[in-house]
Amino acid sequence: QVQLVESGGGLVQAGGSLRLSCAASGLSFNMYAMGWFRQAPGKEREFVVIIGWSPGSTYYADSVKGRFTISRDNANNMVYLQMNSLKPEDTAVYYCAADRGTAGWRMASSSGMDYWGKGTLVTVSS
């Protein structure tokens, strides 16, 4: 019933930009914190950024701070990830996730999230 669908991934050169989108359905969007996570081949899924019920409440991983920006559009049940100054180490499958409580926000961890999209691949070439 709950669906999160990511889009916007692709192949870009180092230093380039991409914007990822996540369309949510089947949930009361305004009541969920929304996050982005990523998983590189052979690596564990890692936290990237989360945005709370209030669009002004955000928390970024140090690895992306200053380069990535999360935003949400509650009227249209959308969350976005603007990625600038991309590096080869940003290459990963990027996942949109939703937290119905507070665990995801407080933990900044995939284990705190309740719903997941299928992911979109971002490849950054050198």
Side-chain angles (χ1 to χ4, degrees):
Q1 185 176 18
V2 174
Q3 291 191 77
L4 304 174
V5 181
E6 304 95 335
S7 62
L11 174 64
V12 298
Q13 293 184 335
S17 298
L18 281 176
R19 189 183 75 160
L20 306 184
S21 299
C22 174
S25 62
L27 77 173
S28 298
F29 186 76
N30 293 359
M31 302 299 294
Y32 285 75
M34 302 295 298
W36 288 96
F37 295 75
R38 66 187 183 185
Q39 187 168 22
K43 306 291 185 180
E44 293 186 353
R45 189 170 300 183
E46 68 173 341
F47 167 79
V48 176
V49 62
I50 194 165
I51 185 167
W53 303 280
S54 170
S57 300
T58 58
Y59 178 62
Y60 293 85
D62 288 342
S63 59
V64 305
K65 194 174 300 181
R67 300 188 298 120
F68 291 9
T69 303
I70 191 172
S71 61
R72 67 189 296 165
D73 181 355
N74 288 345
N76 293 297
N77 290 5
M78 297 288 294
V79 61
Y80 304 95
L81 183 65
Q82 178 66 47
M83 304 184 295
N84 298 327
S85 301
L86 284 163
K87 306 174 181 179
E89 51 262 45
D90 294 319
T91 295
V93 176
Y94 283 71
Y95 297 90
C96 178
D99 174 21
R100 66 188 175 194
T102 61
W105 176 262
R106 293 191 293 110
M107 296 173 65
S109 170
S110 60
S111 63
M113 309 305 291
D114 299 299
Y115 303 104
W116 294 88
K118 292 183 172 61
T120 185
L121 177 63
V122 172
T123 303
V124 184
S125 64
S126 59

